[in-house]
Amino acid sequence: MAQAAETARTVILTVDDDPGVSRAVARDLRRRYGESYRIVRAESGESALEALRELKLRGDLVAVILADYRMPQMNGIEFLEQALDVYPGARRVLLTAYADTNAAIDAINVVDLDHYLLKPWDPPEEKLYPVLDDLLDAWRHSAYKPVPSTKVVGHRWSARSSDVREFLARNQVPYRWYSVEEPEGQRLLAAAGQDGQRLPLVITPDCTVLVEPEAPELAARVGLATTPTADFYDLVVIGGGPAGLGAAVYGASEGLRTVLVERSATGGQAGQSSRIENYLGFPDGVSGAQLTDRARRQATKFGAEMLTAREVTGLEVNGAARVVRFADGSAIAAHSVILATGVQYRQLEADGCTDLTGCGVFYGSALSEASSCQGQDVYIVGGANSAGQAAMYLSRGSKSVTLLVRGPDLSASMSHYLIQQIGEAPNISVRCHTVVEQAHGSEHLERLTLRNTVTGETEQVDAQWMFVFIGAAPLTDWLGDSVLRDERGFILAGPDLTADGRPPAGWELDRPPYHLETSIPGVFVAGDARAESAKRVASAVGEGAMAVMLVHRYLEQS
């Protein structure tokens, strides 16, 4: 039974231009192997190649290919030679007549033939099955690897390819990466009928080929929810970081019809963290991806909808309804809204960084790139917890990790436990009073020019990998003037709106705004996007839960 489960999608393919022989071969194969393998038959070399390409796109495995030698247009050796390009790991068998044995022997050198069978093969128990049993056993013990259902083909140093990989990874979508320079990448391109001029190429589990897909299309095709099931909700949560996930869990668990809208991937900046060690209840630490996955499953268990790759462009008041508008022109409405959009890392203004983003220069940890840093020198820009967590994670496989810090030390913004860990790591060094002045490289990052902010001295260092964790810019520009924000763009709420003792302009209720309520009644803010927030995972989750409590209070009085 275990073997049957393992080989449920594995194929044995047979091709013979004689319909009677083709049916006979398939019949004998099904009788012996039908419970464990799919038997696929074709009656020409061309149709068999087409079937192989389709199987390749679907991610199916092919264990054995049996081909008749004497076929018109394309004989068995010519077919197997082309089949070798599609499934190089499949075992190859040639069906021949006695007069063609010399051709079969020659084929051993041409297509690395595994066996040839003389026709007729009756009885199959003596002449067919023992041969195939040995070949299948050899195939199962070979280096074949069942690949995940989604495949990505692209250039190693490509910002767009990096974006697609990061999107899939952060949304917990299993995928397999193939460089276009590798033979398997070329085979997938050929199977998809593409020449590689437009990349990345994504092949979904249902064989759909996506060329240079944008996030909404990619999300929909790999099974992520992108369309709301209703037009009106009790609560819309905008942003899927810790604050948004916390709000979704508490909102849905307390009976509110809740939908969470995320523009890229749930987890926010915390979801990119390799390890969070000071979050309550996880004494051994927890990765951002693990914490995010658990929170997402928890929210959906209580009935919250999770929409991915939906960009919100506007917030409007329509009577008692709060209307959330999307980039595609559609909208949803709700009694209340929680803004949990979080922040993003500020862009490094050094010359050359913009052109090399995604090609050696990355913002955030970009964990999908970590495996490529093995044995290499890595530079990290920033001195807060996120930079420290990335340094510890990348130091496991990198030759060296250098933290570039503008300030005099790490104590200003990094937790004490991280400072201690960095100090004990033999391959991590910290360069204080140091900034990046220029990034150099043609197709990818090759060197950095560093400047000492005290002495003004500069030096160039070889570098292929730089991860940037500087500052925090709130993701609130889309709000425009709809809610009050401070000069840096962070959302004002509660007491910050009534510092002079008066309610904010346009406030029409008799009561002052609740603690996390914005300048629009019924619209609340939680997490890093709020002015003067703590910028910690635990506080963001707490604010998400508190915002739901205040939503209940608002709804009761409305």
Side-chain angles (χ1 to χ4, degrees), residues 339-355:
L339 303 173
T341 52
V343 297
Q344 65 182 359
Y345 294 111
R346 296 188 185 278
Q347 301 292 295
L348 198 61
E349 296 181 356
D351 291 343
C353 284
T354 300
D355 294 337

Side-chain angles (χ1 to χ4, degrees), residues 29 32 85 92 130 169 172 220 238 265 339 359-360 366 381 396 400 454 486 493 501 503 513 530 548 558:
L29 292 175
R32 172 81 170 210
D85 292 332
R92 292 167 290 281
Q172 306 288 311
I238 303 175
L339 303 173
C359 303
V381 183
R396 298 174 188 173
S400 71
V454 175
D486 66 13
R530 183 177 67 84
V548 171
S558 296

Side-chain angles (χ1 to χ4, degrees), residues 47-321:
S47 63
L49 285 173
E50 184 177 343
L52 286 175
R53 294 188 187 104
E54 183 176 341
L55 292 168
K56 187 76 172 180
L57 289 177
R58 290 203 327 233
D60 290 348
L61 299 168
V62 176
V64 176
I65 301 173
L66 299 93
D68 180 47
Y69 172 64
R70 287 180 176 266
M71 293 189 295
Q73 284 83 46
M74 181 188 300
N75 67 38
I77 296 176
E78 293 169 337
F79 161 71
L80 288 173
E81 191 172 9
Q82 295 191 48
L84 184 65
D85 292 332
V86 184
Y87 278 98
R91 304 298 171 175
R92 292 167 290 281
V93 179
L94 195 67
L95 300 176
T96 68
Y98 182 79
D100 298 322
T101 52
N102 287 335
I105 293 171
D106 291 339
I108 293 174
N109 296 322
V110 175
V111 294
D112 194 20
L113 195 68
D114 293 290
H115 205 93
Y116 66 89
L117 291 171
L118 296 178
K119 296 190 287 186
W121 56 86
D122 290 330
E125 288 77 10
E126 295 181 11
K127 298 184 178 180
L128 177 64
Y129 299 153
V131 171
L132 285 184
D133 286 345
D134 289 343
L135 292 176
L136 288 169
D137 185 66
W139 179 81
R140 283 194 297 271
H141 290 87
S142 66
Y144 84 93
K145 299 292 182 184
V147 298
S149 52
T150 298
K151 306 172 202 53
V152 181
V153 182
H155 289 294
R156 175 66 197 87
W157 297 107
S158 161
R160 188 69 190 106
S161 294
S162 178
D163 288 344
V164 166
R165 295 170 65 192
E166 192 73 5
F167 178 85
L168 294 174
R170 293 192 59 200
N171 281 290
Q172 306 288 311
V173 177
Y175 75 95
R176 181 76 179 270
W177 161 256
Y178 300 90
S179 171
V180 71
E181 289 83 13
E182 298 173 357
E184 189 66 13
Q186 289 293 323
R187 293 187 190 103
L188 285 170
L189 284 176
Q194 299 293 318
D195 58 9
Q197 295 299 308
R198 297 175 59 206
L199 293 173
L201 176 84
V202 177
I203 303 168
T204 66
D206 63 357
C207 300
T208 300
V209 176
L210 306 176
V211 181
E212 297 180 319
E214 296 297 329
E217 179 188 18
L218 183 57
R221 291 294 187 176
V222 298
L224 299 174
T226 60
T227 304
T229 60
D231 296 325
F232 197 91
Y233 295 84
D234 293 320
L235 172 63
V236 175
V237 180
I238 303 175
L245 288 168
V249 167
Y250 280 91
S253 67
E254 294 175 9
L256 297 177
R257 290 172 298 167
T258 303
V259 59
L260 183 149
V261 182
E262 168 57 46
R263 66 170 190 162
S264 56
T266 50
Q269 285 186 319
Q272 294 178 282
S273 176
S274 56
R275 197 146 203 85
I276 303 168
E277 296 193 57
N278 59 351
Y279 188 69
L280 185 67
F282 292 89
D284 298 320
V286 61
S287 74
Q290 290 172 323
L291 189 62
T292 297
D293 180 59
R294 292 177 182 182
R296 182 170 49 214
R297 287 189 286 114
Q298 196 173 11
T300 55
K301 180 188 77 171
F302 287 122
E305 287 184 41
M306 313 287 283
L307 304 184
T308 305
R310 294 304 300 266
E311 185 174 359
V312 177
T313 57
L315 175 64
E316 301 172 4
V317 176
N318 186 4

Side-chain angles (χ1 to χ4, degrees), residues 156 162 165-166 358 362 365-373 465 467:
R156 175 66 197 87
S162 178
R165 295 170 65 192
E166 192 73 5
F362 301 94
S365 56
L367 295 181
S368 61
E369 303 291 337
S371 60
S372 301
C373 300
W465 304 94
F467 298 88

Side-chain angles (χ1 to χ4, degrees), residues 6 58 71 118 193 268 271 280 308 399 417 419 461 494 507 552:
E6 176 189 344
R58 290 203 327 233
M71 293 189 295
L118 296 178
L280 185 67
T308 305
K399 179 182 177 182
Y417 81 91
I419 296 175
V461 295
W507 187 264
H552 279 292

